[in-house]
Amino acid sequence: MSYIFRPYRHSDKKNCARIIASTWRFDMYFPGTKNTDVLNAFVVDWFRLHSDYTDTAVREDGDDKDTCAAFLFAEIKSAGLPGLCRAVQKKLLIFFFYLRIFVLWLFGFYGKRAPVRKAFREYRAVQKKLFKGVMYDAEILCLFVDEKVQKRGLAKSLLMRFFQWADKRDLKSFVLATDTDCNYKFYDRGGFTRLKEMSGCLGVPQAAYGKSRIFLYGIYSEGNA
């Protein structure tokens, strides 16, 4: 089976949401969810809106041709006037996104409102604590590979393509957050340094997994491309 790489398209959202669902089982922890596909699609949209770089590996042949099998999204810390303009544009898009999400939350599309609100607040608190005092040029927001096609080098290819793109823009330092629900050892083997570690998890309410750990990894790209 062969793959081609291209930027994320709106038509990829369904498959990206499916890939996320197999790792982050939101439906198990949000009682009363009317449509778990909507919940997973929310996560994909959240990553996309914050991203300045997207890349997907899609099948080039077979019955699943042009189906997304893996994807990487990243956010760049831009400086100067172009960076400021991009930041303002992003904030406007995110504002309207959260407005839509608020309406769906209000009508219970994500399940009972109190657990969802609590989970979101906990997630934001964890993110703030995890990244406090850490300096970097870009954050890899997500790197997911369909469990059916793992161990075929897709994650490594996506990372190398991103480093090549970043090198042309003189971006050198990168971070990413992951947890014990994910294949975090991939980053240990891939030259990343574990910068921080704390209890909790990224994909579900913090109370769900008492023994889970969150990791913040970093890597300095000097000739990685």
Side-chain angles (χ1 to χ4, degrees):
M1 187 177 294
S2 57
Y3 299 88
I4 59 173
F5 296 88
R6 58 161 173 75
Y8 171 86
R9 298 175 183 172
H10 181 72
S11 57
D12 296 322
K13 181 162 67 171
K14 183 177 180 180
N15 278 303
C16 289
R18 176 184 56 80
I19 293 170
I20 285 177
S22 64
T23 300
W24 289 349
R25 297 300 307 276
F26 296 102
D27 56 313
M28 293 176 62
Y29 303 100
F30 294 128
T33 304
K34 294 181 179 180
N35 189 334
T36 56
D37 292 337
V38 173
L39 188 57
N40 293 317
F42 156 74
V43 179
V44 176
D45 283 338
W46 189 90
F47 283 137
R48 179 183 57 82
L49 281 173
H50 286 79
S51 297
D52 302 290
Y53 172 92
T54 67
D55 197 17
T56 61
V58 298
R59 295 179 176 90
E60 194 175 20
D61 49 27
D63 296 336
D64 294 330
K65 183 178 179 180
D66 206 37
T67 298
C68 178
F71 59 96
L72 183 154
F73 293 175
E75 183 174 26
I76 312 304
K77 278 195 167 183
S78 301
L81 184 59
L84 178 61
C85 293
R86 171 62 178 155
V88 171
Q89 180 188 34
K90 220 188 267 190
K91 285 184 182 298
L92 285 172
L93 291 173
I94 291 170
F95 170 78
F96 288 109
F97 170 71
Y98 279 128
L99 186 62
R100 177 171 64 87
I101 294 304
F102 173 77
V103 173
L104 292 173
W105 169 80
L106 194 63
F107 284 93
F109 280 89
Y110 299 129
K112 294 181 179 179
R113 291 190 293 272
V116 174
R117 181 173 179 268
K118 181 181 179 183
F120 182 76
R121 292 181 65 181
E122 287 177 343
Y123 172 78
R124 296 299 295 172
V126 164
Q127 288 285 98
K128 185 176 180 180
K129 183 178 179 180
L130 191 64
F131 284 88
K132 185 177 181 180
V134 179
M135 303 297 291
Y136 54 91
D137 294 330
E139 179 191 354
I140 299 172
L141 296 172
C142 62
L143 173 56
F144 282 94
V145 179
D146 190 332
E147 60 184 3
K148 297 178 182 178
V149 295
Q150 291 179 0
K151 298 183 179 180
R152 299 187 186 185
L154 292 179
K156 185 176 180 180
S157 294
L158 286 168
L159 277 175
M160 294 307 295
R161 284 170 54 83
F162 171 61
F163 288 141
Q164 289 170 356
W165 178 89
D167 187 58
K168 295 176 182 177
R169 290 155 179 80
D170 199 32
L171 304 173
K172 299 298 182 183
S173 55
F174 310 92
V175 294
L176 67 88
T178 187
D179 60 26
T180 47
D181 281 348
C182 303
N183 184 20
Y184 64 94
K185 293 183 179 180
F186 168 80
Y187 303 108
D188 289 322
R189 298 189 298 266
F192 286 77
T193 300
R194 196 177 293 183
L195 302 175
K196 286 188 179 183
E197 181 177 343
M198 56 187 289
S199 61
C201 45
L202 297 174
V204 297
Q206 299 302 301
Y209 286 166
K211 296 182 180 180
S212 292
R213 306 293 293 173
I214 299 173
F215 308 114
L216 182 67
Y217 283 95
I219 190 169
Y220 186 85
S221 178
E222 186 68 58
N224 278 333

